[in-house]
Each structure stands twice: as C-alpha cells, then as structure tokens.
Amino acid sequence: MTAKTAVITGITGQDGAYLAAFLLKKGYRVVGIVRRSSHFGVATHRLDWLGITRQVELIDGDLLDLGGLCRTLREVKPDEIYNLAAQSFVKTSWQQPTLTGQVTGLGAVNILEATRLEVPDAHFYQASSSEMYGLIREPVQSETTPFYPRSPYAAAKLFAHWMTVNYRESYGMFACSGILFNHESPLRGLEFVTRKVTDAVAQIALGRADELRMGNMEAQRDWGHARDYVEAMWLMLQHGEADYYVVATGRTNSVRYMIDTAFAHAGLDPDKYIRVDPALLRPAEVDILLGNPEKARKTLGWQATTSLEDMIREMVDADLARYRALPR
Ligand code: NDP
Ligand code: GDR
C-alpha cells in the first residue's frame, strides 16, 4: 500500500506541529499550507522544536485565497485534509471581528469548497471548538448540548462547524469536526493563559521577571495535552463514518488552580507576583467548560492520557530550559 498524503492548514501552529509529527510517524507524506512571510524561518519554530521541519513539505497559501487552495489540492491530491488554520485567540477576536470571521469562518468554507471541487473523496477534518458552547446550556457539554457562542471567534467557529456538517449532508463528503476543549503544550502560543503562566514562572524563577499580570482567574477550563488531542483528529478520519466528536478530559479546573500548580513546581509563592489587570478581562467571558468525551472513547477508542498537573510541569520545565539556553 502506498503511503497516504495529508494536507494540514495551520501546520505552523501548536496543533499543526504535533499533528505533523504524529502523521510522519505513521508514514504519511505531510504537506503544510503556510502563510507567506518576509521573515523566512520564523514560522517554523514549532516544527524546528519537534525536529521535523525537513520532513514536511511547506507550500505558500492562505485560507482566504480559494484559488490557491484549489491549486494546491489539485497538485498534491491528498487523502486527508486537516483544517487547523484560524485566528485562534479569543480575546483578539473582539479587536478583529471581521478578520476573525473571514479567516476562522469563511476560510473554512474556502477549504471545504476547494476539497469539493478538487478532491471530493478526501477525508476532511475541521477544528471546531468548545468555545461554541460559550454560555453553557448544560453543566457537562456533549455532542447534543446546544451552542451559545460568546465571542466573534466562537461565532465564526460555529459557522465553520455547521458548514462542515452542511458539506457532508449536501455533497456526501467525508467531513468531520472535532469539538476540542482547551489543549496546551510547551508549543502553545505565549498569549494563551497556560503558556503565559508557565513562561512567567520560568522567568521569575530565573530572575528575569518579577510580576505576572492576569485577567479572570475564576474561569474554569477542561484542559488536556495537544499531543493526545491530535490523535483524536486522526482517528476521526480513519473511522468508517464521518461525524463530530467532543474531545475533552472530563475534568475542569480554575485558572487559579493552574497558576498554583505552575508556581508550586518552581517552588514559588504566586501571591508575591500576581497582579490583576482589568485590561485583560474580556467583554464577555466563558466562565466554565467541562466536556463529556464518552462518544470519542466508545466510538474511536480515544481518551486523554495526560493530567493537567503533569502537563503544566512539562511546560514549566520546557520554559526553564528555553531561558537557560538563552544568553542573559
Ligand atoms: P494556533 O493559533 O497555534 O495556530 C493557528 C494556525 O493558523 C497557525 O499556523 C497560523 O499561521 C495559521 N493561520 C492563521 N491565519 C491563517 C490564514 N489566513 N491562512 C493560513 N493559515 C493561517 O492554533 P492551535 O494550533 O492552538 O489550534 C489549531 C486549531 O484548533 C485552530 O483552528 C483553533 O481555533 C482550534 N482549536 C484550538 C484549541 C486549543 O485549545 N488549542 C481548542 C479548540 C479548537 P501563522 O503561524 O502564520 O500565524
Ligand atoms: P480560551 O483560552 O479563550 O479558552 O481559548 P485562553 O488560554 O486564552 O483563556 C482561558 C481562560 O483564561 C482566562 N484568563 C486569561 N487568558 C489569557 N489568554 N491571558 C490572561 O492573562 C488571562 N487571565 C485569565 C480567560 O479569560 C479565559 O477564561 C482557547 C483557544 O485555543 C481557542 O482557539 C480554543 O478554541 C479554545 O481554547 C477551546
């Protein structure tokens, strides 16, 4: 059997990098679509960290450019397409609602449409989000829980989610989406709360910083590890039938607990360093998320394997190692 080919949009992001590593291990040819930048090399830092930059093929492309997406899919002829690209930072989506709608919402339609036109038999994965539950309608969220998006980001993701369902139902395409709850790693962007905290802990521990400004520390999230979650994406595309699945740990914790875990690992007292900064609060907050991953467990045989505590310790250690390797 010849090796399968996968196209990943968003390959330079956290999930794209881990998914590429996962698929390479399975023997896939991995092609990533990357936004052209004048800063050559910068965008590959996550692939570099995993040591896989030379093993993936990178093609210039943008989710906003339907023509370019069609051309790429026509040339590459992938078996599987993973749409991970997005303006993914919720807070920024209030500052850039139109851009977020274009990239995170309409961008998904562009890649769905390119798939329909060029490789309609390819298996398609859409990165949906637990943010779609927003102002939660049920204490534990599953595939049947109604959605209530609370940010321009979440509204755009909900549009993309339903368009994925629509392409499946209208054209019979194998189009899946994973409603993934928050997942983190040492490759998480510095703007997201876990990595912001582990990076600050490392800097404080090494005498490079002396405070950490935080927003709403009462918010609660169901946090898992990105390394575990990319496997769920792949499993969805191997299953006999296209569907959508909640991917979560089934456990929720507060931002405050996550902070305490990170500081404790470095032997530091968080209260000495934390300042609450009202500028970091959001116009509308998602107070609590807690996913029920039962369907993914039963149907795909998937379950999260990394605890929040182990993941945060791994992230603090990785940030300490990064700063120790830098010149002062
Ligand atoms: P990141 O923010 O780390 O990565 C986003 C990726 O999208 C980057 O590769 C970025 O490229 C790319 N991108 C942004 N705009 C465009 C564009 N116009 N054209 C092409 N590429 C573009 O996100 P994550 O890896 O954390 O998340 C992956 C996906 O999963 C996202 O869609 C996110 O919304 C969704 N998601 C994430 C969850 C999480 O907890 N991590 C949970 C649920 C859903 P560049 O490097 O050039 O910026
Ligand atoms: P989220 O992740 O919005 O859930 O979206 P983020 O880590 O940004 O926020 C989680 C919670 O922490 C609170 N918070 C802070 N957040 C940030 N970034 N910075 C702070 O200083 C801070 N202080 C408190 C937030 O208010 C929030 O309640 C992530 C993204 O990856 C999305 O793309 C994805 O869809 C969802 O997870 C599931």
Side-chain angles (χ1 to χ4, degrees), residues 4 22-23 26 28 80 82 123 174 176 231-241 300:
K4 280 189 184 174
F22 177 86
L23 294 175
K26 295 239 169 250
Y28 278 61
E80 295 173 10
Y82 296 86
H123 288 199
F174 194 102
C176 299
E231 185 185 10
M233 299 175 187
W234 177 77
L235 285 168
M236 284 178 217
L237 298 201
Q238 314 314 308
H239 192 64
E241 226 175 288
L300 305 174

Side-chain angles (χ1 to χ4, degrees), residues 54-72:
R54 284 162 184 270
Q55 296 170 54
V56 298
E57 297 167 45
L58 300 180
I59 297 184
D60 279 350
D62 196 297
L63 223 46
L64 299 178
D65 178 23
L66 176 60
L69 295 174
C70 283
R71 191 172 311 116
T72 297

Side-chain angles (χ1 to χ4, degrees), residues 12-15 35 62-63 84 86 88 153 157 180 183 188:
T12 54
Q14 169 188 259
D15 291 8
R35 294 194 279 184
D62 196 297
L63 223 46
L84 309 185
S88 76
Y153 167 81
K157 277 287 178 191
L180 269 54
H183 47 279
R188 187 57 144 151

Side-chain angles (χ1 to χ4, degrees), residues 81-262:
I81 298 165
Y82 296 86
N83 182 38
L84 309 185
Q87 190 304 93
S88 76
F89 188 39
V90 174
K91 182 132 196 307
T92 287
S93 75
W94 277 281
Q95 272 95 48
Q96 301 185 332
T98 310
L99 177 88
T100 303
Q102 284 166 337
V103 176
T104 306
L106 277 175
V109 183
N110 280 338
I111 185 84
L112 277 164
E113 185 65 0
T115 304
R116 181 181 79 82
L117 292 170
E118 305 296 341
V119 282
D121 293 332
H123 288 199
F124 182 93
Y125 174 85
Q126 167 60 22
S128 291
S129 165
S130 54
E131 282 293 295
M132 301 187 311
Y133 296 117
L135 190 62
I136 53 167
R137 308 282 93 189
E138 288 174 345
V140 183
Q141 299 88 54
S142 72
E143 292 78 6
T144 54
T145 303
F147 299 114
Y148 192 132
R150 288 270 277 175
S151 63
Y153 167 81
K157 277 287 178 191
L158 190 52
F159 171 65
H161 179 72
W162 280 115
M163 288 305 281
T164 305
V165 174
N166 187 256
Y167 268 66
R168 179 167 74 234
E169 293 178 353
S170 304
Y171 305 115
M173 281 168 50
F174 194 102
C176 299
S177 46
I179 306 178
L180 269 54
F181 283 60
N182 298 54
H183 47 279
E184 322 291 311
S185 73
L187 296 182
R188 187 57 144 151
L190 279 165
E191 66 274 43
F192 300 97
V193 74
T194 53
R195 182 74 200 293
K196 176 176 170 176
V197 168
T198 62
D199 177 82
V201 164
Q203 293 206 53
I204 292 168
L206 298 175
R208 286 174 166 263
D210 55 13
E211 71 165 20
L212 171 58
R213 290 186 172 271
M214 294 300 306
N216 174 18
M217 291 187 283
E218 306 312 313
Q220 288 174 255
R221 289 291 183 274
D222 179 330
W223 275 296
H225 199 302
R227 208 171 31 219
D228 290 346
Y229 284 34
V230 297
E231 185 185 10
M233 299 175 187
W234 177 77
L235 285 168
M236 284 178 217
L237 298 201
Q238 314 314 308
H239 192 64
E241 226 175 288
D243 206 343
Y244 59 91
Y245 298 86
V246 160
V247 176
T249 68
R251 194 185 141 194
T252 192
N253 286 105
S254 66
V255 170
R256 178 73 222 198
Y257 174 78
M258 182 272 295
I259 291 173
D260 290 346
T261 306

